[in-house]
């Protein structure tokens, strides 16, 4: 799967946005993707897109909206890009479940990052490196000390987070 990409769909199977992974695989195949796989029910798709990866992201977004009635951003990375994001993780990993990479649609501006830095994060830590925001929660994502939504609004870029266990698993099944 050398041309395979990893597609991350934001906020799937939370807050009423139900998208069965079998349906996601079916949509990807209908759009011309090959080597289609999903991993867990949180919007992780691995496939070889039929053409331009960015165009395929937009096609997936439209197909999900048309078929399920809700819009969700689709963000993709190549396997080497995901490997590089994992290698760049800047924090000590005490618990991989508390350590996340948020894949962003684009790199936030320096001004946006400066605005986001004004929010108190307690013992939670975050850092933007390129098109990824790396997060380490002190007590886990279920009990964050930082206000993730406020930081994301300040960054003004859509993104979707995966914990390091999920990132590592996606890399292993995309080999």
């Amino acid at each position: 799967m050398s041309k395979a990409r990893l597609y991350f769909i934001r906020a799937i199977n939370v807050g009423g946005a139900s998208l069965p992974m079998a349906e996601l695989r079916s949509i990807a195949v209908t759009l011309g993707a090959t080597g289609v796989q999903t991993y867990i029910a949180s919007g992780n798709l691995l496939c070889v897109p039929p053409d331009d990866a960015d165009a395929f992201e937009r096609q997936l977004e439209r197909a999900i909206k048309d078929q399920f009635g809700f819009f969700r951003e689709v963000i993709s990375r190549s396997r080497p890009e995901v490997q590089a994001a994992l290698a760049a993780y800047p924090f000590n990993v005490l618990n991989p479940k508390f350590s996340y990479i948020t894949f962003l649609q684009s790199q936030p501006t320096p001004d946006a990052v400066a605005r986001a830095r004004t929010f108190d994060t307690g013992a939670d830590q975050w850092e933007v490196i390129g098109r990824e925001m790396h997060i380490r929660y002190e007590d886990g994502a279920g009990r964050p000390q930082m206000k993730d939504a406020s930081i994301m609004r300040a960054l003004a870029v859509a993104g979707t987070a995966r914990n390091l266990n999920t990132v590592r698993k996606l890399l292993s099944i995309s080999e």
Side-chain angles (χ1 to χ4, degrees):
M1 290 183 86
S2 62
K3 294 184 181 190
R5 290 188 67 84
L6 292 92
Y7 291 86
F8 306 100
I9 297 114
R10 188 187 66 76
I12 288 299
N13 295 327
V14 294
S18 179
L19 172 57
M21 294 300 97
E23 293 292 328
L24 178 58
R25 289 189 300 272
S26 177
I27 289 170
V29 168
T30 299
L31 293 174
T34 58
V36 177
Q37 302 176 64
T38 54
Y39 174 68
I40 63 177
S42 61
N44 302 301
L45 173 71
L46 295 87
C47 67
V48 177
D51 48 32
D52 178 75
D54 293 335
F56 189 68
E57 287 177 13
R58 304 299 73 83
Q59 291 169 346
L60 278 171
E61 289 171 346
R62 281 190 301 277
I64 291 167
K65 173 86 168 100
D66 291 348
Q67 191 166 339
F68 292 92
F70 54 81
F71 176 81
R72 291 296 186 264
E73 290 87 354
V74 175
I75 299 164
S76 75
R77 298 288 190 272
S78 67
R79 188 174 192 283
E81 288 171 325
V82 175
Q83 287 173 311
L86 182 60
Y89 191 79
F91 307 115
N92 187 18
V93 179
L94 303 175
N95 183 339
K97 289 182 181 179
F98 293 3
S99 300
Y100 284 74
I101 299 174
T102 301
F103 297 95
L104 304 171
Q105 279 189 320
S106 61
Q107 184 170 341
T109 67
D111 287 344
V113 173
R115 271 192 310 278
R117 288 262 175 241
T118 65
F119 293 97
D120 179 33
T121 62
D124 294 343
Q125 299 175 292
W126 66 271
E127 189 66 48
V128 172
I129 301 173
R131 294 185 302 156
E132 281 77 41
M133 181 171 82
H134 302 268
I135 302 170
R136 187 178 79 63
Y137 295 105
E138 184 69 20
D139 300 315
R143 295 179 299 184
Q145 296 176 29
M146 63 187 240
K147 304 290 186 229
D148 308 60
S150 297
I151 291 170
M152 290 302 293
R153 277 193 299 279
L155 292 176
V157 177
T160 186
R162 301 297 185 270
N163 72 38
L164 296 191
N165 286 335
T166 298
V167 172
R168 289 178 179 137
K169 182 64 175 181
L170 288 167
L171 285 170
S172 76
I173 63 177
S174 68
E175 290 183 293

